[in-house]
Protein backbone atom coordinates (compact mmCIF):
# COMPACT_ATOMS: atom_id res chain seq x y z
CA UNK A 1 0.00 0.00 0.00
CA UNK A 2 2.61 2.55 1.08
CA UNK A 3 4.92 1.82 -1.85
CA UNK A 4 2.14 2.92 -4.18
CA UNK A 5 1.48 6.07 -2.18
CA UNK A 6 5.19 6.92 -2.12
CA UNK A 7 5.46 6.45 -5.89
CA UNK A 8 2.36 8.61 -6.36
CA UNK A 9 3.69 11.44 -4.21
CA UNK A 10 7.05 11.25 -5.96
CA UNK A 11 5.47 11.44 -9.41
CA UNK A 12 3.35 14.47 -8.49
CA UNK A 13 6.32 16.14 -6.81
CA UNK A 14 8.38 15.85 -10.00
CA UNK A 15 5.82 17.86 -11.98
CA UNK A 16 6.32 20.93 -9.77
CA UNK A 17 2.65 21.86 -10.21
CA UNK A 18 0.90 21.34 -6.87
CA UNK A 19 2.38 20.82 -3.42
CA UNK A 20 2.45 17.38 -1.83
CA UNK A 21 4.27 16.24 1.31
CA UNK A 22 7.69 15.01 0.26
CA UNK A 23 7.88 11.24 0.82
CA UNK A 24 11.00 10.03 2.61
CA UNK A 25 10.86 6.28 3.18
CA UNK A 26 8.57 3.29 3.65
CA UNK A 27 9.40 1.41 6.84
CA UNK A 28 8.28 -2.14 7.53
CA UNK A 29 6.51 -2.88 10.78
CA UNK A 30 7.96 -5.22 13.44
CA UNK A 31 8.08 -8.80 12.25
CA UNK A 32 7.10 -7.74 8.74
CA UNK A 33 3.53 -6.87 9.75
CA UNK A 34 2.18 -3.54 8.52
CA UNK A 35 4.33 -0.54 7.79
CA UNK A 36 4.52 3.22 7.77
CA UNK A 37 5.24 5.93 5.20
CA UNK A 38 7.54 8.65 6.50
CA UNK A 39 6.90 12.09 4.94
CA UNK A 40 7.94 15.64 5.60
CA UNK A 41 5.86 17.52 8.13
CA UNK A 42 3.56 20.13 6.59
CA UNK A 43 1.66 22.53 8.84
CA UNK A 44 -1.75 22.26 7.14
CA UNK A 45 -5.26 23.51 7.74
CA UNK A 46 -8.55 22.98 5.94
CA UNK A 47 -8.74 24.31 2.38
CA UNK A 48 -10.26 27.79 2.46
CA UNK A 49 -8.51 30.73 0.81
CA UNK A 50 -6.73 28.72 -1.88
CA UNK A 51 -9.55 26.77 -3.58
CA UNK A 52 -9.16 28.64 -6.87
CA UNK A 53 -5.41 28.15 -6.76
CA UNK A 54 -5.97 24.43 -6.25
CA UNK A 55 -8.17 24.34 -9.36
CA UNK A 56 -5.48 26.05 -11.44
CA UNK A 57 -2.70 23.85 -10.06
CA UNK A 58 -4.69 20.66 -10.57
CA UNK A 59 -5.22 21.65 -14.20
CA UNK A 60 -1.47 22.25 -14.47
CA UNK A 61 -0.85 18.75 -13.09
CA UNK A 62 -3.25 17.26 -15.63
CA UNK A 63 -1.67 19.18 -18.52
CA UNK A 64 1.91 18.49 -17.48
CA UNK A 65 2.41 15.28 -19.48
CA UNK A 66 0.74 16.75 -22.58
CA UNK A 67 2.94 19.86 -22.45
CA UNK A 68 6.01 17.71 -21.85
CA UNK A 69 5.21 15.69 -24.98
CA UNK A 70 4.73 18.84 -27.03
CA UNK A 71 8.01 20.28 -25.80
CA UNK A 72 9.97 17.09 -26.48
CA UNK A 73 8.47 16.84 -29.96
CA UNK A 74 9.42 20.43 -30.68
CA UNK A 75 12.96 19.93 -29.41
CA UNK A 76 13.34 16.75 -31.46
CA UNK A 77 12.57 18.74 -34.58
CA UNK A 78 15.08 21.48 -33.75
CA UNK A 79 18.60 21.20 -35.15
CA UNK A 80 21.08 20.49 -32.38
CA UNK A 81 18.38 19.55 -29.84
CA UNK A 82 16.66 16.38 -28.81
CA UNK A 83 19.67 14.11 -28.74
CA UNK A 84 20.33 14.20 -25.01
CA UNK A 85 18.68 12.38 -22.15
CA UNK A 86 15.44 13.76 -20.78
CA UNK A 87 14.76 13.86 -17.07
CA UNK A 88 11.10 12.86 -17.49
CA UNK A 89 9.86 10.98 -20.56
CA UNK A 90 6.48 11.60 -22.15
CA UNK A 91 3.98 8.93 -21.07
CA UNK A 92 1.88 7.68 -23.99
CA UNK A 93 -0.06 4.94 -22.20
CA UNK A 94 -2.57 4.65 -19.37
CA UNK A 95 -1.51 3.05 -16.12
CA UNK A 96 1.26 3.35 -13.54
CA UNK A 97 4.48 1.55 -12.67
CA UNK A 98 3.21 0.17 -9.36
CA UNK A 99 0.02 -1.02 -7.71
CA UNK A 100 -1.76 1.72 -5.77
CA UNK A 101 -4.66 1.66 -3.31
CA UNK A 102 -7.89 3.64 -3.32
CA UNK A 103 -8.86 3.14 0.29
CA UNK A 104 -7.42 -0.21 1.29
CA UNK A 105 -8.30 -2.00 -1.96
CA UNK A 106 -5.42 -2.43 -4.42
CA UNK A 107 -5.59 -1.08 -7.95
CA UNK A 108 -3.66 -2.87 -10.67
CA UNK A 109 -2.28 -0.31 -13.12
CA UNK A 110 -0.96 -2.43 -15.99
CA UNK A 111 -0.12 -0.18 -18.93
CA UNK A 112 -2.60 -0.02 -21.80
CA UNK A 113 -2.78 2.10 -24.93
CA UNK A 114 -6.57 2.38 -24.91
CA UNK A 115 -8.20 4.41 -22.13
CA UNK A 116 -11.68 2.89 -22.51
CA UNK A 117 -10.23 -0.60 -22.18
CA UNK A 118 -8.09 0.42 -19.21
CA UNK A 119 -11.00 1.98 -17.36
CA UNK A 120 -13.42 -0.87 -18.02
CA UNK A 121 -10.95 -3.68 -17.36
CA UNK A 122 -8.80 -2.25 -14.56
CA UNK A 123 -11.20 -0.01 -12.68
CA UNK A 124 -14.83 -1.11 -13.03
CA UNK A 125 -14.40 -4.84 -13.70
CA UNK A 126 -12.38 -5.55 -10.52
CA UNK A 127 -15.02 -3.73 -8.47
CA UNK A 128 -17.80 -5.73 -10.14
CA UNK A 129 -15.86 -8.93 -9.47
CA UNK A 130 -15.84 -8.03 -5.76
CA UNK A 131 -19.58 -7.29 -5.84
CA UNK A 132 -20.18 -10.68 -7.44
CA UNK A 133 -18.01 -12.45 -4.87
CA UNK A 134 -19.54 -10.54 -1.97
CA UNK A 135 -23.25 -10.60 -2.77
CA UNK A 136 -23.75 -12.04 -6.24
CA UNK A 137 -25.98 -9.07 -6.99
CA UNK A 138 -27.66 -10.16 -10.22
CA UNK A 139 -29.16 -6.77 -11.09
CA UNK A 140 -25.79 -5.05 -10.76
CA UNK A 141 -24.07 -7.66 -12.93
CA UNK A 142 -26.73 -7.43 -15.63
CA UNK A 143 -26.54 -3.64 -15.69
CA UNK A 144 -22.76 -3.77 -15.98
CA UNK A 145 -23.02 -6.19 -18.91
CA UNK A 146 -25.32 -3.72 -20.67
CA UNK A 147 -23.23 -0.68 -19.76
CA UNK A 148 -20.04 -2.14 -21.22
CA UNK A 149 -21.62 -1.96 -24.67
CA UNK A 150 -22.45 1.73 -24.19
CA UNK A 151 -19.11 2.99 -22.87
CA UNK A 152 -17.29 3.45 -26.21
CA UNK A 153 -20.03 5.83 -27.38
CA UNK A 154 -19.23 8.17 -24.49
CA UNK A 155 -15.71 8.66 -25.89
CA UNK A 156 -16.48 9.04 -29.59
CA UNK A 157 -14.16 11.51 -31.38
CA UNK A 158 -12.10 12.08 -28.22
CA UNK A 159 -8.31 12.20 -28.23
CA UNK A 160 -7.28 11.55 -24.64
CA UNK A 161 -3.68 12.30 -23.71
CA UNK A 162 -2.65 10.44 -20.53
CA UNK A 163 -2.64 12.81 -17.55
CA UNK A 164 -1.01 12.17 -14.21
CA UNK A 165 -3.85 11.99 -11.68
CA UNK A 166 -3.97 12.22 -7.91
CA UNK A 167 -6.56 9.46 -8.17
CA UNK A 168 -8.56 10.07 -4.97
CA UNK A 169 -8.99 13.82 -4.79
CA UNK A 170 -11.94 14.29 -2.46
CA UNK A 171 -12.27 17.09 0.08
CA UNK A 172 -10.62 14.99 2.81
CA UNK A 173 -7.38 14.68 0.83
CA UNK A 174 -6.73 18.38 0.29
CA UNK A 175 -5.65 21.17 2.60
CA UNK A 176 -3.63 24.36 2.50
CA UNK A 177 -0.63 25.88 4.21
CA UNK A 178 0.45 29.51 4.32
CA UNK A 179 1.66 29.37 0.70
CA UNK A 180 -1.20 27.55 -1.02
CA UNK A 181 -2.92 24.20 -1.56
CA UNK A 182 -1.56 20.84 -0.44
CA UNK A 183 -2.84 17.48 -1.69
CA UNK A 184 -2.03 14.12 -0.10
CA UNK A 185 -3.02 10.44 0.17
CA UNK A 186 -2.90 9.89 -3.62
CA UNK A 187 -3.63 6.76 -5.63
CA UNK A 188 -2.00 8.00 -8.81
CA UNK A 189 -1.99 6.71 -12.35
CA UNK A 190 -1.98 8.14 -15.86
CA UNK A 191 -5.57 8.44 -17.04
CA UNK A 192 -8.24 10.79 -18.37
CA UNK A 193 -8.18 14.15 -16.60
CA UNK A 194 -11.98 14.11 -16.23
CA UNK A 195 -11.70 11.06 -13.98
CA UNK A 196 -10.24 13.26 -11.26
CA UNK A 197 -13.35 15.42 -11.09
CA UNK A 198 -15.67 12.51 -10.28
CA UNK A 199 -14.83 12.11 -6.61
CA UNK A 200 -13.97 15.82 -6.38
CA UNK A 201 -17.70 16.46 -6.72
CA UNK A 202 -18.72 13.80 -4.19
CA UNK A 203 -18.76 13.82 -0.39
CA UNK A 204 -18.77 17.59 0.05
CA UNK A 205 -16.85 18.53 -3.06
CA UNK A 206 -15.25 21.87 -3.86
CA UNK A 207 -16.63 25.33 -4.44
CA UNK A 208 -17.33 27.27 -7.62
CA UNK A 209 -13.96 29.04 -7.61
CA UNK A 210 -12.15 25.69 -7.82
CA UNK A 211 -14.09 24.58 -10.90
CA UNK A 212 -13.93 27.98 -12.56
CA UNK A 213 -10.14 28.05 -12.28
CA UNK A 214 -9.81 24.44 -13.44
CA UNK A 215 -12.07 24.74 -16.46
CA UNK A 216 -10.50 27.98 -17.57
CA UNK A 217 -7.45 25.80 -18.32
CA UNK A 218 -9.23 22.57 -19.29
CA UNK A 219 -12.72 23.35 -20.68
CA UNK A 220 -15.52 20.80 -20.46
CA UNK A 221 -15.67 18.66 -23.59
CA UNK A 222 -18.96 17.52 -25.16
CA UNK A 223 -20.43 14.61 -23.19
CA UNK A 224 -18.64 15.65 -19.99
CA UNK A 225 -21.61 15.09 -17.66
CA UNK A 226 -22.24 11.49 -18.76
CA UNK A 227 -18.57 10.62 -18.51
CA UNK A 228 -18.50 12.17 -15.04
CA UNK A 229 -21.27 9.77 -14.04
CA UNK A 230 -19.27 6.88 -15.46
CA UNK A 231 -16.27 7.92 -13.39
CA UNK A 232 -18.38 8.38 -10.26
CA UNK A 233 -19.55 4.80 -10.73
CA UNK A 234 -16.08 3.56 -9.82
CA UNK A 235 -16.11 5.46 -6.54
CA UNK A 236 -19.61 4.32 -5.57
CA UNK A 237 -18.66 0.73 -6.32
CA UNK A 238 -15.43 1.16 -4.38
CA UNK A 239 -17.40 2.47 -1.41
CA UNK A 240 -19.87 -0.41 -1.75
CA UNK A 241 -16.97 -2.85 -1.54
CA UNK A 242 -15.42 -0.97 1.37
CA UNK A 243 -18.44 -0.09 3.47
CA UNK A 244 -21.37 -2.21 2.35
CA UNK A 245 -24.58 -2.05 0.37
CA UNK A 246 -25.48 1.48 1.43
CA UNK A 247 -23.80 2.51 -1.83
CA UNK A 248 -25.63 -0.05 -3.95
CA UNK A 249 -28.45 2.30 -4.86
CA UNK A 250 -26.15 5.02 -6.17
CA UNK A 251 -24.14 2.47 -8.16
CA UNK A 252 -27.21 0.97 -9.81
CA UNK A 253 -28.76 4.39 -10.43
CA UNK A 254 -25.73 5.48 -12.47
CA UNK A 255 -25.68 2.27 -14.50
CA UNK A 256 -29.41 2.58 -15.23
CA UNK A 257 -28.98 6.20 -16.30
CA UNK A 258 -26.10 5.42 -18.66
CA UNK A 259 -27.79 2.41 -20.25
CA UNK A 260 -31.02 4.22 -21.20
Amino acid sequence: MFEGEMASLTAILKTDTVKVPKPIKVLAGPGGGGGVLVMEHVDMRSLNRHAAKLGAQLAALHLDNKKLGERLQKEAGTVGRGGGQVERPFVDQFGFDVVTCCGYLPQVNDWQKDWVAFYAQQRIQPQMDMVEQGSGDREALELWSALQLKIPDLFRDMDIVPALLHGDLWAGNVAEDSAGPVIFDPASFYGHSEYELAIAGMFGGFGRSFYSAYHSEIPRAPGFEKRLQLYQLFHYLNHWNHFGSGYRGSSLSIMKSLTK
Side-chain angles (χ1 to χ4, degrees), residues 19 21 50 52 74 79 86 100 110-111 134 172 186 191 198 204 236 239 251-252:
K19 184 171 182 176
H50 296 294
K74 184 178 179 180
V79 176
V86 294
T100 53
D110 292 341
W111 295 102
Y236 281 123
H239 277 68
S251 301
L252 267 57

Side-chain angles (χ1 to χ4, degrees), residues 108-134:
V108 175
N109 296 305
D110 292 341
W111 295 102
Q112 287 188 242
K113 285 282 190 182
D114 183 75
W115 166 248
V116 173
F118 176 91
Y119 184 68
Q121 296 169 10
Q122 298 197 54
R123 287 298 177 266
I124 301 297
Q125 189 61 58
Q127 295 290 334
M128 292 305 305
D129 290 344
M130 283 184 275
V131 168
E132 183 175 17
Q133 292 163 13

